[in-house]
Amino acid sequence: MNYLETEKVELKEKWNDQIAKEIEAFLNTEGGAIYLGVTDEGNVVGVDQLDIALRRISDVVSDQIEPSAIDCVQPEVIFDDGKVVIKINITKGFSSLYCIKKYGFSPSGCHLRVGTTCKSMTLSMIKERFEKGLAKRDLMVQMPSYYGDISFRILKMLLLERGCHLEEANYEKNLKLRTLNGEYNVLAELLSDTNSTSLIFAKFKGLTKASYSERTDYGNQCLALAYEKMKGRLELENICKTITSVRPRKDIYLYDADAVNEALINALIHNDYRIASPLVCFFDDRLEILSHGGLPAGLSKEEFFQGISRPRNTQLTEIFQRLGIAEHTGHGIPMILQKYGEGVFDIQPNHINVIIPFNKEVLANHGGISASISGSDGGMNRQENAILGAVETNPSLSAQELSCSLKIPFRSVQRYLANLKTKGILARIGSNKTGYWKVLI
């Protein structure tokens, strides 16, 4: 094979620190290839330590280039004249601007491939690309999906329940579920009936991750449905202490359900799914909701805390708004701040972790998380408390009427009523048709 350096080909005799810059320059231009193990003159010398070289390439792509370019860089091992050569295939990046993370978006960190060399971008070029990226950065829509069977039965059903009627012929186009080339994109995969995206609820014994108690994956399905199931789990875990010495009864919950729900929604719609999926962790004293990718480009901490919204995944946010899950009012972060303050936000370059402390009074009343969630001590979740409050106001309410007024599925209402009766908190006096409910605490 004949090797010659061109605008799209770079030759490297051996590994050096300039390779990260070469990859980044190709990403910012039109893509290309780097041949490792070939001299500038085109002579094959080969790569001696293949495993080490491949690991270095992986480390460069994942750790030294920003934003993530994992989907755009693919090493390939080829054999030439009995020697091993690594061809690093680089496609043009999905983002409008890449940089060497160490130097950031500056002339030292941003480069273009010009002829057979790398040239630093000027500040004006960086600014132009950066602003273009803010306006057109929805990588979920641009990036193709490599998942197999994609279908949208669940998404269509959820949209219909919200009164959203989309023409079947233009369904995928209106929701931007395909790339410009007509392939299903990453957004389509996330919203497909089945997918490979996890949404883990992990419970730990104690205050660290040293000991697992439970791990449940609510993912691998339409993200909107996965959200509903995770939300339901968090509502189930939200035990309370009921003060019955005053009327009306006073309920104190383990955590503020609305604030936690806002944190969960933000984690789902602002997460960088190229890195990893969001994660919900339960400890003995707190709840953590982790999303990846840090703050969206161009958004400062001050703007974040002011409730200024700059979605990383614009179209996913719009679909969640259509489903009635998310709003575009910017009130979510201020709500969390009002309940818990800025201290609950751990904002890092590559992730945001929202750490919600548990109410100590509720913990003390229930003897700790492990005991309280089992329900063996009479603890109640949010839905059970809502049902209890409703029947206190109107003891003659039927299960069907409770389901309609509280917007809780009928079968769930039946289960919660049975739990309340088992715990000795609620009793049914008389028949199902003519009787009434009596609160026993």
Side-chain angles (χ1 to χ4, degrees):
M1 180 175 178
N2 296 322
Y3 299 94
L4 179 67
E5 282 198 346
T6 67
E7 188 174 350
K8 289 201 168 189
V9 174
E10 175 69 21
L11 306 179
K12 292 291 181 184
E13 180 177 349
K14 58 183 179 180
W15 181 270
N16 61 49
D17 294 337
Q18 295 299 307
I19 289 181
K21 185 172 73 172
E22 302 284 355
I23 293 174
E24 174 253 328
F26 277 128
L27 289 166
N28 280 327
T29 317
E30 295 297 329
I34 300 173
Y35 289 89
L36 185 59
V38 181
T39 67
D40 291 341
E41 294 76 25
N43 299 318
V44 177
V45 294
V47 176
D48 292 332
Q49 297 175 303
L50 179 61
D51 290 344
I52 293 177
L54 291 173
R55 186 166 62 249
R56 282 174 171 170
I57 295 168
S58 176
D59 290 344
V60 161
V61 176
S62 60
D63 299 336
Q64 296 186 36
I65 296 175
E66 189 175 35
S68 174
I70 292 175
D71 294 318
C72 301
V73 180
Q74 183 64 50
E76 174 188 356
V77 178
I78 59 179
F79 297 91
D80 192 347
D81 195 24
K83 297 175 183 175
V84 176
V85 173
I86 299 177
K87 180 184 179 184
I88 307 174
N89 298 289
I90 305 149
T91 59
K92 182 178 180 180
F94 294 106
S95 178
S96 62
L97 182 64
Y98 291 84
C99 72
I100 301 299
K101 192 178 298 185
K102 178 180 178 181
Y103 302 106
F105 295 106
S106 68
S108 299
C110 301
H111 305 85
L112 291 172
R113 180 80 174 180
V114 180
T116 59
T117 60
C118 293
K119 297 290 185 181
S120 294
M121 291 188 191
T122 64
L123 287 174
S124 61
M125 292 170 64
I126 294 170
K127 181 181 179 185
E128 181 182 351
R129 284 192 174 221
F130 190 79
E131 291 176 347
K132 178 182 177 183
L134 291 180
K136 193 178 179 181
R137 192 184 166 87
D138 199 341
L139 300 183
M140 273 193 181
V141 175
Q142 301 173 36
M143 294 172 59
S145 168
Y146 300 103
Y147 188 77
D149 298 326
I150 288 182
S151 59
F152 305 107
R153 181 183 60 83
I154 293 172
L155 178 62
K156 292 177 180 178
M157 179 184 67
L158 293 174
L159 285 168
L160 284 173
E161 288 178 355
R162 294 291 303 178
C164 297
H165 300 282
L166 299 176
E167 294 182 10
E168 187 68 29
N170 298 317
Y171 189 90
E172 295 174 355
K173 180 180 179 180
N174 290 337
L175 295 182
K176 299 181 181 177
L177 300 176
R178 290 184 181 269
T179 68
L180 293 176
N181 295 328
E183 303 170 288
Y184 279 123
N185 53 31
V186 173
L187 175 65
E189 180 180 337
L190 276 177
L191 296 172
S192 174
D193 295 330
T194 61
N195 56 52
S196 58
T197 302
S198 296
L199 183 57
I200 303 294
F201 175 92
K203 187 179 287 188
F204 300 92
K205 296 178 181 178
L207 306 181
T208 70
K209 294 183 178 180
S211 178
Y212 254 125
S213 173
E214 178 190 346
R215 181 186 183 278
T216 304
D217 190 350
Y218 293 101
N220 306 122
Q221 59 186 318
C222 175
L223 188 64
L225 183 59
Y227 156 75
E228 294 291 351
K229 291 187 176 182
M230 180 65 81
K231 178 186 177 185
R233 178 58 186 268
L234 291 172
E235 289 176 343
L236 181 65
E237 298 284 349
N238 196 11
I239 56 175
C240 86
K241 174 183 178 181
T242 302
I243 301 175
T244 59
S245 58
V246 296
R247 284 290 184 267
R249 296 159 48 254
K250 182 180 179 182
D251 297 327
I252 305 174
Y253 287 92
L254 188 64
Y255 45 80
D256 185 90
D258 292 332
V260 167
N261 186 51
E262 288 296 333
L264 175 61
I265 293 171
N266 283 336
L268 291 174
I269 64 178
H270 297 302
N271 186 72
D272 189 340
Y273 287 90
R274 296 171 300 167
I275 300 174
S277 303
L279 176 66
V280 178
C281 293
F282 240 71
F283 299 88
D284 280 357
D285 65 341
R286 69 193 186 278
L287 163 67
E288 296 186 3
I289 301 177
L290 176 72
S291 62
H292 301 274
L295 293 175
L299 186 69
S300 67
K301 281 188 180 182
E302 291 74 19
E303 291 173 326
F304 175 79
F305 288 133
Q306 289 169 11
I308 296 175
S309 179
R310 183 167 288 162
R312 172 177 279 110
N313 307 309
T314 305
Q315 186 60 21
L316 177 62
T317 303
E318 290 182 6
I319 292 174
F320 267 45
Q321 288 169 2
R322 289 195 186 200
L323 291 168
I325 297 172
E327 298 180 8
H328 199 58
T329 59
H331 79 289
I333 299 302
M335 176 196 293
I336 300 172
L337 292 175
Q338 183 180 23
K339 297 292 183 180
Y340 294 105
E342 291 185 9
V344 300
F345 290 95
D346 175 22
I347 302 176
Q348 301 297 328
N350 294 315
H351 74 261
I352 298 177
N353 196 19
V354 184
I355 305 168
I356 303 293
F358 292 154
N359 186 294
K360 294 180 180 179
E361 188 176 351
V362 176
L363 283 178
N365 184 68
H366 288 274
I369 286 297
S370 299
S372 62
I373 299 306
S374 68
S376 61
D377 63 344
M380 295 183 292
N381 61 39
R382 194 185 188 199
Q383 292 93 335
E384 290 173 343
N385 272 283
I387 291 171
L388 207 59
V391 298
E392 269 192 323
T393 304
N394 185 355
S396 63
L397 286 171
S398 67
Q400 188 64 55
E401 289 169 332
L402 285 167
S403 174
C404 293
S405 63
L406 299 176
K407 293 181 173 55
I408 300 175
F410 177 66
R411 291 184 181 178
S412 297
V413 168
Q414 290 181 310
R415 185 174 70 253
Y416 293 137
L417 287 170
N419 289 343
L420 290 168
K421 289 191 287 185
T422 301
K423 295 172 183 177
I425 298 172
L426 187 66
R428 182 71 180 178
I429 308 299
S431 68
N432 288 335
K433 289 187 177 181
T434 61
Y436 63 93
W437 297 103
K438 182 177 181 180
V439 179
L440 302 178
I441 60 171

